[in-house]
Amino acid sequence: MSASDESLHLTATDLRMATFRLARRLRCARAADSMSDAQLAVLADLRMNGRRTISALAERERVTAPSMTSTVNGLEEQGFVARTPDEDDRRRVQVEITDAGAAIVVETIRRRDELLADMLREVDYTEAELTTLREASALMRRAVER
């Protein structure tokens, strides 16, 4: 393994462990205790990107269409999403977030941001370290949004 490969591997290991532990802590903060991470991810996607087909949601979340149908059914039963006929192809159905679903996403984001801010406050980072964290988050987004 070359020096750059070794560095890349060590960086990947460090990032994986840190993001795994951070994600686990943040997942505990949610507006609806009974909501799964998969359901929350679908609501967040719909809030950010607007209505989508079940197949588009499944592709985005990297699950099967039947699995996404089950997730959407649960969200629909709770009143967090609604299905509407596609305007261009009446055989297709679009899924859109309801006001109640959007409220769950907004409150969960607020709680998670508050929790993370508290965690950062406890460490007492310098302004330069906070800048480094913001820059690192931008680099991490580049890797996952490819």
Side-chain angles (χ1 to χ4, degrees), residues 43-58:
L43 289 179
D45 182 81
L46 291 170
R47 181 174 177 267
M48 194 165 64
N49 299 306
R51 67 167 65 177
R52 300 175 75 128
T53 63
I54 287 181
S55 59
L57 287 168

Side-chain angles (χ1 to χ4, degrees), residues 21-78:
R21 292 185 69 202
L22 177 60
R24 188 172 53 204
R25 293 258 324 256
L26 292 177
R27 275 195 301 267
C28 294
R30 61 180 70 198
D33 290 334
S34 63
M35 184 170 293
S36 72
D37 291 333
Q39 288 175 319
L40 189 58
V42 169
L43 289 179
D45 182 81
L46 291 170
R47 181 174 177 267
M48 194 165 64
N49 299 306
R51 67 167 65 177
R52 300 175 75 128
T53 63
I54 287 181
S55 59
L57 287 168
E59 184 177 317
R60 172 80 174 170
E61 294 301 316
R62 296 189 171 140
V63 298
T64 64
S67 177
M68 183 55 67
T69 297
S70 178
T71 299
V72 168
N73 288 345
L75 290 169
E76 186 176 36
E77 287 171 12
Q78 297 175 74

Side-chain angles (χ1 to χ4, degrees), residues 2 12 15 19 26 33 37 40 45 47 72 81 83-84 92 113 116 127 129 137:
S2 74
L15 283 173
T19 56
L26 292 177
D33 290 334
D37 291 333
L40 189 58
D45 182 81
R47 181 174 177 267
V72 168
V81 299
R83 296 174 201 240
T84 57
R92 287 189 344 189
D113 284 353
L116 185 53
E127 239 357 271
E129 289 170 323
S137 69

Side-chain angles (χ1 to χ4, degrees), residues 53-130:
T53 63
I54 287 181
S55 59
L57 287 168
E59 184 177 317
R60 172 80 174 170
E61 294 301 316
R62 296 189 171 140
V63 298
T64 64
S67 177
M68 183 55 67
T69 297
S70 178
T71 299
V72 168
N73 288 345
L75 290 169
E76 186 176 36
E77 287 171 12
Q78 297 175 74
F80 297 135
V81 299
R83 296 174 201 240
T84 57
D86 187 272
E87 295 163 0
D88 298 326
D89 182 349
R90 292 295 201 194
R91 296 169 294 177
R92 287 189 344 189
V93 173
Q94 295 280 338
V95 179
E96 59 188 330
I97 193 167
T98 63
D99 290 344
I104 290 288
V105 173
V106 168
E107 179 59 17
T108 298
I109 289 169
R110 187 196 66 73
R111 289 180 186 193
R112 289 179 177 180
D113 284 353
E114 185 177 303
L115 174 60
L116 185 53
D118 288 345
M119 291 166 61
L120 295 173
R121 198 174 293 109
E122 287 174 15
V123 176
D124 195 29
Y125 288 109
T126 65
E127 239 357 271
E129 289 170 323
L130 290 173

